[in-house]
């Protein structure tokens, strides 16, 4: 499996910026690995950091748009039948739906930094027929710091970019905690506002 991933990475990222975007769109390989390898390419001068961030943002956004469209036009029944082929479990989909129902469109940005619901959240957004413009905007804005973070770590690791997971935890854990805290505060504010209006 590791050899297969390396072959895919070498082929895709050999295409340069389009390869980064394409690798993130098709999501055969986790985005963290793609971006870390992209960071390594920046470190050896193959590509430039800014171009890699743009490619990462475009590719990551299109990947989520694909899931959004599946949710919008395929619906829940389609996902129950074919979700496993998209590497989205029923558990993560259910959790994402609950989060979306509770928090609405505000979750689209913050959920990108939370494991499990990060990818699946696009589906309930599509099922709820959230505005495509708003969905795309929030997703793209979230993909910018995500791309910068993993490209930067890959750049710093250089030839050791494959150690991305152990190093990235130092950054992703605080991000996840911060995102959950923000969502909790937002829910509390909404609750207090509703209670006050009553």
């Amino acid at each position: 499996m590791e050899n297969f991933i390396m072959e895919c990475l070498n082929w895709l990222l050999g295409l340069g910026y389009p390869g980064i975007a394409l690798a993130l769109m098709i999501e055969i390989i986790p985005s963290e690995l793609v971006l870390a390898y992209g960071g390594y390419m920046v470190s050896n001068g193959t590509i430039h950091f800014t171009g890699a961030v743009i490619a990462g943002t475009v590719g990551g956004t299109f990947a989520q748009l694909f899931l959004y469209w599946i949710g919008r036009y395929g619906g829940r029944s389609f996902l129950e039948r074919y979700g496993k082929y998209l590497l989205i479990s029923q558990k993560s989909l259910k959790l994402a739906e609950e989060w979306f129902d509770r928090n609405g469109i505000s979750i689209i940005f913050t959920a990108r930094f939370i494991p499990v619901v990060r990818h699946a959240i696009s589906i309930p957004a599509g099922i709820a027929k959230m505005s495509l413009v708003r969905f795309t905007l929030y997703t793209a804005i979230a993909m910018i710091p995500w791309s910068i973070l993993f490209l930067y770590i890959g750049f710093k690791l250089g030839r050791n970019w494959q150690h991305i997971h152990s190093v990235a935890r130092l950054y992703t854990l605080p991000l996840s905690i911060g995102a959950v805290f923000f969502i909790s505060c937002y829910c509390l504010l909404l609750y207090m506002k509703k209670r006050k209006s009553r």
Side-chain angles (χ1 to χ4, degrees):
M1 187 64 176
E2 190 175 327
N3 290 334
F4 171 74
I5 289 173
M6 280 306 304
E7 284 178 19
C8 288
L9 274 174
N10 285 327
W11 182 78
L12 285 166
L13 274 72
L15 302 173
Y17 304 119
I20 293 175
L22 185 60
L24 292 172
M25 280 182 211
I26 58 180
E27 289 200 321
I28 295 173
I29 306 164
S31 63
E32 297 91 329
L33 280 178
V34 174
L35 293 168
Y37 192 70
Y40 164 61
M41 291 174 68
V42 172
S43 72
N44 63 27
T46 307
I47 57 175
H48 296 288
F49 192 84
T50 303
V53 171
I54 293 169
T57 302
V58 170
T61 301
F62 269 96
Q64 296 308 313
L65 278 169
F66 174 68
L67 295 175
Y68 168 88
W69 286 323
I70 287 176
R72 183 158 185 153
Y73 300 109
R76 191 80 168 72
S77 58
F78 177 89
L79 291 157
E80 286 175 352
R81 183 175 296 181
Y82 301 108
K84 60 184 177 182
Y85 300 111
L86 300 170
L87 305 178
I88 295 174
S89 66
Q90 290 298 316
K91 182 181 177 182
S92 62
L93 179 58
K94 185 180 178 183
L95 184 61
E97 284 181 320
E98 288 172 357
W99 279 51
F100 188 84
D101 290 340
R102 275 202 308 267
N103 306 294
I105 60 173
S106 64
I107 195 71
I108 296 302
F109 176 83
T110 48
R112 301 298 176 202
F113 306 100
I114 303 171
V116 183
V117 297
R118 187 160 64 85
H119 294 297
I121 199 66
S122 301
I123 295 170
I127 293 172
K129 292 182 170 50
M130 176 183 171
S131 162
L132 179 60
V133 173
R134 294 178 81 174
F135 175 83
T136 305
L137 180 63
Y138 291 171
T139 302
I141 291 172
M143 279 306 303
I144 293 170
W146 185 261
S147 299
I148 289 172
L149 173 63
F150 285 97
L151 284 166
Y152 177 75
I153 297 172
F155 174 79
K156 285 294 183 182
L157 288 173
R159 291 182 180 275
N160 298 313
W161 66 272
Q162 288 173 305
H163 299 298
I164 184 68
H165 288 300
S166 57
V167 176
R169 284 194 198 99
L170 300 172
Y171 301 89
T172 55
L173 183 59
L175 274 175
S176 299
I177 293 170
V180 171
F181 177 75
F182 175 83
I183 291 167
S184 301
C185 290
Y186 179 78
C187 290
L188 181 62
L189 284 171
L190 282 180
Y191 172 75
M192 290 173 68
K193 190 176 179 180
K194 285 180 182 177
R195 192 173 178 182
K196 191 176 180 180
S197 64
R198 287 173 187 170

